[in-house]
Amino acid sequence: MVEACPHRHIHRLLTLINHVHQPQADVLLLLGAKDRRVPSPDGLQYQSALKAAGAHVRTLMFPEDTHALSLPRTEFEQWINAAWWLKRMQ
């Protein structure tokens, strides 16, 4: 039986970082500042790596939300921003 990694967020970040050198799409990052699963500094580090690789990145930080981004105001803002992000690509 395989043991669950106690630091899954670190493993996931490292996996994403392994592929950051050749971005193939623009990236919209939505981060919850109170996220304990993927701490916001990890998301910001990923943003920096993407930008350094030449990707166009927009990052939105929701200061009162967690990993789920489920507060009503956050849900509203994330859908508005996601729609804007997709529309600008047309």
Side-chain angles (χ1 to χ4, degrees), residues 64-84:
E64 297 300 319
D65 221 328
T66 63
H67 189 79
L69 299 175
S70 60
L71 293 176
R73 180 182 173 111
T74 302
E75 285 187 357
F76 175 77
E77 288 186 33
Q78 70 180 331
W79 285 113
I80 293 295
N81 280 284
W84 172 83

Side-chain angles (χ1 to χ4, degrees), residues 31-38 40 61-67:
L31 305 173
K34 294 183 178 179
D35 188 342
R36 292 180 8 194
R37 202 176 310 169
V38 181
S40 55
M61 179 75 71
F62 298 96
E64 297 300 319
D65 221 328
T66 63
H67 189 79

